[in-house]
Each structure stands twice: as C-alpha cells, then as structure tokens.
Amino acid sequence: MNQRPVAVCASWVPSFLSATYFQPCERHRHHKKNECTFFCISCGAKPHSVCQHCMGAHAGHQVIQVRRYVYCDVVRACDINAYVDTTGVQNYIINSAKVMFLNHRPHSKIGRVNGADTCRTCHRHLREGFSYCSLACKVE
C-alpha cells in the first residue's frame, strides 16, 4: 500500500483511540483467542475493536493491529504511519519494532533535570526531539 499519511485528526482517529482493546469479543466469546486487537479504519465510525474471528467481515478493509506493552496499548509505527501523520510522537523499540503508545502514559516518579523535553499536552518527560508521548496527546 502506497498511501500518503493523512492528518492526525482523521475522522476515525478518535474512535481508534477510545476503542477498548484486549477484551473478549462479544460475538465470539466462546472461541479461543478472541481478544479484540484490531481496529478497522474502513468501518471507523463504530468505536469498537474486533477480534481475529471478526476479520472475515472486514476482508479488503484497512485494518490496524493494536499490541500490548507493559499493560499499555501500542501500535507499530510502520502500521500507523501509512494513515496518520505521527510527526513528533515519541516512539520506542519493542521486540525489534518501533511502536507508539495510543493513549496517555502515567508519569514516572523519577525526578528529571530541568530543560528536558516534555509532552506538549500532558507534560510527561520525553527523549530529545519529540513533542508528544502518545497519539492521543497529539490529537488533543
């Protein structure tokens, strides 16, 4: 897919960020591996995630997989960059892949030196050169 990134405030982004992930799918509650870890951009007006068993109904749609890292929802940078301008959002290397956090992260209790870069929205400390700690902070 060779698409140009769209503005970070595309109509489906708020639904993507507010959806609940890693919960059992209502439709497939009796199936194994029924956690909702996907979001269908094509159906993005519905603020819910889908499981792997729901994917047949979304064949041919644009879908993003949400992953979990230390109890937080993340998305691979290479997956989201195709659809959203993530400039300024801090990324992390997890399992050899660059990822970004979807929502605000809790502040660490470790004191930082003055002058460190902070998130423009929630004031969480960041690595140098970044403006936001998560996609949600960039959207706000």
Side-chain angles (χ1 to χ4, degrees):
M1 252 187 241
N2 197 6
Q3 299 178 359
R4 296 182 65 134
V6 296
V8 77
C9 57
S11 61
W12 57 268
V13 171
S15 295
F16 172 64
L17 296 174
S18 66
T20 303
Y21 300 97
F22 297 93
Q23 297 296 319
C25 177
E26 294 280 327
R27 290 185 180 155
H28 300 105
R29 62 181 167 267
H30 300 297
H31 289 71
K32 291 182 180 180
K33 297 185 178 182
N34 67 350
E35 286 186 329
C36 293
T37 60
F38 297 93
F39 184 85
C40 182
I41 295 170
S42 302
C43 302
K46 302 174 187 172
H48 64 78
S49 52
V50 296
C51 75
Q52 67 182 4
H53 305 290
C54 296
M55 293 301 288
H58 299 274
H61 292 191
Q62 297 170 316
V63 177
I64 295 178
Q65 183 175 9
V66 175
R67 298 160 193 280
R68 181 69 42 112
Y69 177 70
V70 191
Y71 304 105
C72 293
D73 297 335
V74 300
V75 64
R76 284 186 176 174
C78 63
D79 294 343
I80 195 77
N81 285 340
Y83 307 107
V84 173
D85 175 15
T86 60
T87 305
V89 179
Q90 182 166 303
N91 55 54
Y92 301 83
I93 305 293
I94 300 171
N95 295 331
S96 303
K98 281 186 180 181
V99 299
M100 297 176 185
F101 286 88
L102 296 188
N103 295 301
H104 303 283
R105 300 190 51 223
H107 291 271
S108 67
K109 295 178 183 170
I110 301 169
R112 304 288 178 155
V113 292
N114 290 337
D117 290 348
T118 58
C119 177
R120 292 180 183 172
T121 304
C122 73
H123 308 292
R124 178 177 173 69
H125 294 283
L126 304 173
R127 290 193 320 259
E128 187 175 338
F130 291 101
S131 302
Y132 304 98
C133 68
S134 66
L135 291 171
C137 282
K138 183 166 183 175
V139 170
E140 284 185 14

